[in-house]
Amino acid sequence: MTPTGLPAWVRAMSHEDYGGHLEKRNFQSQGVVNPRTDVGAEALCRMAADLEAAARTAPWCVLRMTVDTVAGDVTVQSVNQMTGTRSAPYDGTQPPGGFPSVAINGAGDVTVTWDAEYPDAYGVTAPVNITHAIASIGGNAAAFAAWEAVDGDADGSAEAVRAYAFDATGTPLDDFELTLTVHTGPGV
Amino acid sequence: MLGGFAPLPIRLGGTDREGWTAAQHARAADHLAAIVRTLPFAWVRVERSPSLRVAAYCGMDGIGAPFAPHIIASGAGEVTVWWEWARETLDAYGQHEPVTIRHATANIIGPLPIVANVALPSASRAVVTTTDVTSGDPVNVPFTLVVY
């Protein structure tokens, strides 16, 4: 059985994928008799509409990493991704399957790369195309970050984020903790 | 379907207008699992005027003041926000789990060149530091904190 529609990160969802329908009705117009045991058409449609709304804006991935550009070490501390979560830290250069890799480009400069596509829980695959992100520096020292999307494989969909970390004077940071919130849009 | 009376458990199938097919249910389940993984746990707006307070709280555990975390001014330009371990988060059905914060971001509210940074000293605590980038001095300003 293949579910209707596409994985959430493609942002092509419709309430109809979840069972909603503009002309939904209870069978033979019989409404809910006992709300403790019955689920009516009205509730199902509300669930479908709200799920459609929430799925449009939920991030693709939120991750936090610690970086030492001098030593060349990058550790991904935690990942919340639509396809899975991971709370055990890992070496960014050797990511476990399904989780992004991190490469150090220089002082205050890293690139986070995901696979070009991922499968959902039912094996339906869809490309990752990064369209928005928020990059922020952790800790208690004044610092800030910037980002840009990267299409490393030139397939028309950006599957990577290059992030830049600066101190308050605009100098690239050697050591920093970076949090990325990444959002995707329709793939190419 | 079971006719006019349709008690749980729901039997999947039927038409688009009067049913809920297995494929539709599966897609709903898949998307719900996906977005729950990445949605924020809470949005917290902290104001300084007339005094330090949580001005708005939207969390998975609830909306508004009754669910807002504790906050204290822990230094110049520094605010500590924490969710009590003892107050384990309850869902709508009374199931509870402790709050475990793994990511957080913050932004100041206002038109000034002030940067906000967040440290996570523990799983239930976030420390927000706000600094004027032109002077390098800590400043007390309102901010928005998002935790995951």
Side-chain angles (χ1 to χ4, degrees):
Chain A
M1 186 277 297
T2 300
T4 53
L6 294 169
W9 56 91
V10 178
R11 317 295 174 179
M13 62 286 295
S14 164
H15 65 102
E16 293 181 345
D17 293 337
Y18 314 129
H21 195 286
L22 295 181
E23 297 178 16
K24 202 82 172 181
R25 57 177 182 253
N26 295 304
F27 184 68
Q28 293 186 340
S29 300
Q30 178 66 57
V32 169
V33 174
N34 185 346
R36 288 180 292 182
T37 57
D38 305 350
V39 176
E42 304 87 349
L44 186 62
C45 287
R46 172 47 59 202
M47 180 278 293
D50 285 1
L51 184 54
E52 177 191 62
R56 289 190 180 114
T57 66
W60 154 247
C61 182
V62 183
L63 73 157
R64 180 168 57 89
M65 69 189 78
T66 50
V67 184
D68 182 343
T69 61
V70 175
D73 295 330
V74 55
T75 302
V76 178
Q77 299 293 339
S78 180
V79 182
N80 289 3
Q81 187 166 295
M82 280 190 163
T83 52
T85 60
R86 183 180 172 94
S87 58
Y90 65 87
D91 179 344
T93 63
Q94 299 179 20
F99 293 98
S101 64
V102 185
I104 296 174
N105 305 312
D109 185 352
V110 295
T111 298
V112 185
T113 305
W114 284 265
D115 295 342
E117 62 178 21
Y118 285 84
D120 69 9
Y122 296 89
V124 179
T125 60
V128 168
N129 183 32
I130 296 165
T131 54
H132 314 72
I134 296 176
S136 59
I137 303 300
N140 55 16
F144 62 95
W147 72 279
E148 56 186 352
V150 176
D151 178 10
D153 56 10
D155 65 351
S157 293
E159 72 289 340
V161 169
R162 187 165 181 174
Y164 307 89
F166 306 94
D167 67 15
T169 68
T171 303
L173 289 167
D174 289 327
D175 296 302
F176 54 93
E177 179 182 274
L178 173 70
T179 294
L180 274 178
T181 304
V182 181
H183 197 268
T184 54
V188 174
Chain B
M1 300 295 287
L2 300 179
F5 297 90
L8 293 172
I10 296 174
R11 178 175 297 168
L12 296 175
T15 67
D16 286 344
R17 292 184 180 182
E18 295 179 346
W20 196 15
T21 69
Q24 292 167 335
H25 175 269
R27 180 51 67 199
D30 174 68
H31 278 200
L32 183 58
I35 68 175
V36 167
R37 289 186 180 114
T38 66
L39 285 173
F41 170 70
W43 293 72
V44 187
R45 191 174 93 236
V46 174
E47 297 281 357
R48 292 281 191 169
S49 177
S51 61
L52 181 67
R53 60 195 174 90
V54 175
Y57 179 76
C58 289
M60 285 188 166
D61 54 341
I63 307 293
F67 304 93
H70 301 291
I71 59 170
I72 60 166
S74 45
E78 183 180 288
V79 174
T80 297
V81 182
W82 82 96
W83 285 259
E84 291 181 22
W85 276 102
R87 195 202 73 185
E88 292 183 332
T89 304
L90 296 174
D91 72 2
Y93 297 91
Q95 290 192 315
H96 59 87
E97 288 291 335
V99 173
T100 305
I101 301 169
R102 301 197 188 281
H103 314 82
T105 60
N107 280 98
I108 69 110
I109 300 170
L112 300 175
I114 299 170
V115 66
N117 298 95
V118 186
L120 299 177
S122 75
S124 62
R125 193 174 293 247
V127 179
V128 181
T129 305
T130 47
T131 308
D132 184 331
V133 296
T134 58
S135 65
D137 295 329
V139 291
N140 297 332
V141 292
F143 60 85
T144 298
L145 170 69
V146 184
V147 297
Y148 297 81

